[in-house]
């Protein structure tokens, strides 16, 4: 039984590769958003035509990305949401809320500095991890019942 | 037919009062989170017993608040989410994602500075307003079909 | 037990008044879209600010109207959809599809000229009526079990 | 993860072939209605017996076709709805409404002349395209994150 | 908290009146189908126009009645289905299956002669009663916790 | 895309074999109830222990069979329900109601003598067939768009 | 907005009265199972006829009680589950699982001795209380935002 | 069509192996919780960091295990719940309630001594078995229609 895991949130570090690498050999199907920041921002106008107004430029792109993310979250068993050190990252919190409302198992990944600000998100999660390695160990345990040595 | 409207997000200004005041006379039932910041932060330990660890102190409180917010969002026809000028406000974005996944009509309220960072949230909304007065006008139009003069 | 009936579609004749008038005395709560054509077309920009591009002008208005129509359809027991003699009326067919997917009881109201073009919509309906009077008689029978004399 | 895409609407041009051709090599499973117009109109009576009344002739056919279309829409991740230059095309708008109510990602395909009449349908969509090539580029981006060069 | 009870099935004896009479004083809202046999059979053609073919005569009537019964079953907490001594009564079994799939509490009412033929229906029920008086006692117990003396 | 078809109802003739034979070569997964009448009646007590009371004997068996039928109906795209010439066949009508409430495409198969008694079941169906050959032709058309020659 | 609270579990102490008394004046509608132990055990046979076999005696009663409890849990916003000092109380844990799967806000009430054995139940809860007074304070906070003085 | 069966409850005897062994050759995909008691108890702190307080130690572990069990139950067609001779086993009853609310086919496995205490759980089940061999025979019958010789 393949486990479907969606990796949401921060796109500026290699945390996704750390997790997928550490889970090599497990029957897990990982998915995630488009992580090419420029493509993600401009996809709407690049495909469907330019917009004079920046708001609609962003709007068209955000909706195209939603075709990918909504489906991947809807099809996931587990949604991991990573909050990095910088930026507002409201889309990460939005994805967490979306996943929680659908009853997905939520794993939140962030450093201790964000704990108070993320308390409502953490309260909806089944695990709060501090490192990508911990997330990988959680997934390994869920699949195999084995604890890290 | 009463319209149920949940007012989520920022709790440091009087935007809720502006909206409810401007909607006087309409058949709208407004709800919102506990807006007493101190009570909201400490409710868990104040009622269910102290915690040595700040994480669990926050956790117990966030869960108690969720009893109120989950039900109010679930029972709402419209969810208005306000993003203020300060703070991370990840709980606001979480509520927006939660409401979107439940198919609620979402109205986002924020200033133009936040437009790019909130593009994914705005893309899920049926209206993006810049002021509480606009939100009230939207609600009045929805209820009566009348535009502002 | 109040019956909730949403009256969708054509807004240029008095068919809604004919039905509600003929149903006087029955425990039915009728709802419908904003039928002031100008207000319906311009509500988005009138409240949330002007748009240079006609597409986005229309888009903002259509979304505001959706706050009203989605909720009314979701809360309805019966959705009546009227197709008039003129115009594309794609929003009427869209509402019919939306209502059908939610499992609402669908009543379609149109003249015989449209029968072939509406066959897929009619196939999803529990009644196909030719006049507002017939719709009212259907609703009276559903509520009271009495047939017209 | 295969993407399921249902291609609804206009059946008189080769737009479906244009999209599926341009998506060659992508892991997409396309489906669509029966596009043989005569078969689609007459299937009910051809299989289940003749009807004297044209209404029931159409009715039996529309219901048989619904066995195919309801299931394909229900199983789709993305529903593309094409509005051509001619005919009423109420079944296309009905399919769009049906798909929207089920939470499917909706892509609408039409020329600029129809923009005002389709504003309610477009408002429910995640993308509004003007050409089959744009739809294919959207699907390619959703699957690969690559923009057209 | 009012209990909604739908009384489905046999329409030739006064079993509904026996139950509602014995439940006088309880906060129960009873509903049921149209029990005027002639009106129920002919409602479709009486309102929406005559049919030459008996099949479509019946079809139009059955669909009109479904407007009433589907909504009443959907809104019920408890569905009581009565099987009488005569007739096929497939609509009663259909209503029982419909109610079971919606998770309604099902009470089946029939004499011992039908026990074997109704075993699949009974297996989906929370109570199998032999008399209307037993059904009333079940409803009284559910509402008050009191057993018959 | 495999079509899942559940064949419910009458178990005394070879109608299932006629349909599956005529559909050879199509990508259809057929399922059905246990058609060994004796095994179906006695499975409960044969596996879980004898019952002194015939009602509970039947009850245990009906519930075991429900493990199979509920799952098969829930997983089906299309449910075909056959009513034969004899017996009460209330379980067939129950299955039809169950399938209808789950939004399955329903095909009813019966001779003309049963038309009036089955009008409520037929009203919920997308096709009413008189012979197994017609059901097979419907399924072939749904899968291929080809009409019988 | 009335809060619906179902009080599940232990029926040998006055904990329900403590909570409802302490919540006097709040807009809360409390419900619960039949707490007359003898009536609850014997209701099935008392109303629907005696059973020779104790298993079926219990079975008929448990199903009658389910008519009441399933509906009350389904209609509740909050489900409080009390585990006392004695007995297996598997029905309490069953109700907790049932409520959790329906997405109800769960409050578990038990002494510290049961903490380890109830860890899976507590993990699904939004609050774990040790006394009825704490439950009442949670409900008061949820309704009013006020903390105990 | 593979049958998905989740084996919940007691983890101290080899009942799972007895069932899976006796079902060799059938197209059944079995799943279950982590049955290494020590790993199951300590997984939370072993992966996500130690806790000073036993309650939170247990809490973190129970939530990690829920990632596995919730998904497996949600994906199961049949949930078998075993109650052993010892311990509180509230998690087993919780899983049974969770499965029942999701409409899963429930099979309960316990000895006669527990019959009265488990009557509410048994009342929600489609089969109550006394031995693992009986469960295997039920599954074989469901898959093949064959009774044990």
């Amino acid at each position: 039984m393949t486990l479907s895991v969606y990796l949401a949130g921060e796109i500026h570090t290699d945390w996704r590769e750390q997790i997928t690498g550490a889970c090599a050999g497990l029957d897990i199907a990982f998915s995630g958003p488009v992580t090419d920041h420029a493509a993600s921002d401009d996809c709407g106008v690049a495909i469907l035509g330019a917009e004079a107004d920046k708001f609609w430029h962003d709007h068209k792109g955000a909706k195209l990305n939603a075709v990918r993310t909504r489906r991947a979250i809807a099809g996931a068993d587990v949604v991991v949401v990573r909050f990095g050190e910088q930026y507002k990252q409201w889309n990460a919190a939005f994805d967490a809320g979306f996943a929680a409302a659908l009853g997905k198992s939520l794993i939140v990944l962030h450093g201790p500095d964000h704990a108070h600000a993320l308390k409502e998100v953490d309260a909806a999660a089944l695990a709060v991890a501090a490192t990508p390695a911990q997330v990988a160990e959680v997934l390994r345990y869920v699949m195999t019942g084995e604890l890290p040595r």
Side-chain angles (χ1 to χ4, degrees), chain A residues 20-71:
Chain A
T20 55
C23 288
L26 296 176
D27 185 12
I28 300 179
F30 288 101
S31 60
V34 171
T35 56
D36 175 336
H37 198 154
S40 172
D41 266 13
D42 297 332
C43 60
V45 296
I47 296 176
L48 298 171
E51 291 294 331
D53 186 329
K54 181 63 158 61
F55 181 85
W56 298 116
H57 175 116
D58 284 349
H59 193 75
K60 283 168 85 168
K63 281 191 167 169
L64 274 210
N65 287 314
V67 176
R68 178 179 175 120
T69 56
R70 295 292 167 84
R71 173 188 173 246

Side-chain angles (χ1 to χ4, degrees), chain A residues 28 58 77 103 115 133 135 138:
Chain A
I28 300 179
D58 284 349
D77 300 306
V135 174
V138 167

Side-chain angles (χ1 to χ4, degrees), chain A residues 67-84:
Chain A
V67 176
R68 178 179 175 120
T69 56
R70 295 292 167 84
R71 173 188 173 246
I73 293 176
D77 300 306
V78 175
V79 174
V80 180
V81 186
R82 160 81 171 164
F83 290 84

Side-chain angles (χ1 to χ4, degrees), chain A residues 118-145:
Chain A
L118 282 169
K119 65 183 186 294
E120 286 87 3
V121 179
D122 289 352
L126 288 180
V128 179
T131 67
Q134 286 182 334
V135 174
E137 287 171 356
V138 167
L139 295 176
R140 183 168 297 275
Y141 173 72
V142 166
M143 294 299 282
T144 66

